[in-house]
Amino acid sequence: MKPERADAARNRTKVLAAAADLFAAKDPRAVTMDDIAKAAGVGRGTLYRRYPDVASIAVALLDEHETALQQGLMSGPPPLGPGAPPAERLAAFYTAMADLLETHGHLALATETGGRRFEIGAYGFWRAHVLSLLRAASVPAPEALADTLLAPLAPEVFTYQRAQGLSLEEVKTALTRLTTVLISS
């Protein structure tokens, strides 16, 4: 892979900063490529050369946060990382995801529009993690449950719950309760 040109790196930085500001300022699903190009001070061609759509920009912004969580799941301390019983790990995953959505939910909303949620690489990772926990707990039909257990973590659901006045702690408690009902330690 050849190194990024200095002007391309500057434009990428401007685009990501402008997009982050726009996503934070209004509903990210309403942000357009034109909005981002104007806010970044770059041409549409420059923008489209690197990013085919708004969701791709949001994915780039969200990636580092999701990668950190993935590292915690694979090699972090228990209960998020290996070494804890499946129910505790699933509860820790829910808690970590709720924290991620609390801080970066606006980006997740921009990345996971409609069926695209299932195409995002992070979703595949989350699904594989939940499946492995369900299998470790010998839960019947884990493939049928994995997406159901990820549904409460959809950005639209989380945002709706918070807008209805549920506190972050109430959401986390409900998700943790779900794990204890489903999986016995």
Side-chain angles (χ1 to χ4, degrees):
M1 180 181 217
K2 64 184 192 179
E4 185 176 35
R5 292 184 341 258
D7 63 325
R10 280 191 303 276
N11 284 339
R12 178 180 45 77
T13 300
K14 290 191 314 190
V15 165
L16 293 176
D21 290 345
L22 288 168
F23 292 150
K26 67 180 188 176
D27 185 336
R29 296 166 293 189
V31 174
T32 67
M33 291 293 272
D34 281 339
D35 294 337
I36 295 169
K38 288 175 188 168
V42 300
R44 289 181 56 192
T46 298
L47 185 61
Y48 280 101
R49 225 178 333 275
R50 184 178 294 263
Y51 303 105
D53 53 30
V54 172
S56 298
I57 297 170
V59 166
L61 288 166
L62 190 57
D63 184 60
E64 72 181 81
H65 308 293
E66 290 179 330
T67 299
L69 178 53
Q70 291 169 3
Q71 289 299 318
L73 293 170
M74 292 186 304
S75 59
L80 185 62
E88 288 180 32
R89 289 200 70 202
L90 184 57
F93 169 66
Y94 273 144
T95 297
M97 282 298 295
D99 288 335
L100 182 111
L101 289 169
E102 180 70 14
T103 307
H104 305 291
H106 61 291
L107 295 175
L109 274 173
T111 66
E112 298 185 2
T113 55
R116 182 155 185 173
R117 175 172 201 234
F118 307 105
E119 299 167 9
I120 301 296
Y123 185 85
F125 186 94
W126 309 142
R127 188 175 194 282
H129 178 67
V130 169
L131 268 172
S132 72
L133 296 175
L134 293 173
R135 288 179 180 135
S138 300
V139 172
E143 291 79 10
L145 281 173
D147 296 308
T148 301
L149 292 175
L150 288 168
L153 299 173
E156 295 89 351
V157 173
F158 182 84
T159 302
Y160 175 79
Q161 289 177 318
R162 296 291 281 127
Q164 295 304 305
L166 290 174
S167 72
L168 179 59
E169 285 307 312
E170 288 172 313
V171 171
K172 289 179 182 182
T173 298
L175 291 169
T176 299
R177 194 167 32 245
L178 178 62
T179 65
T180 57
V181 168
L182 179 67
I183 304 174
S184 59
S185 297

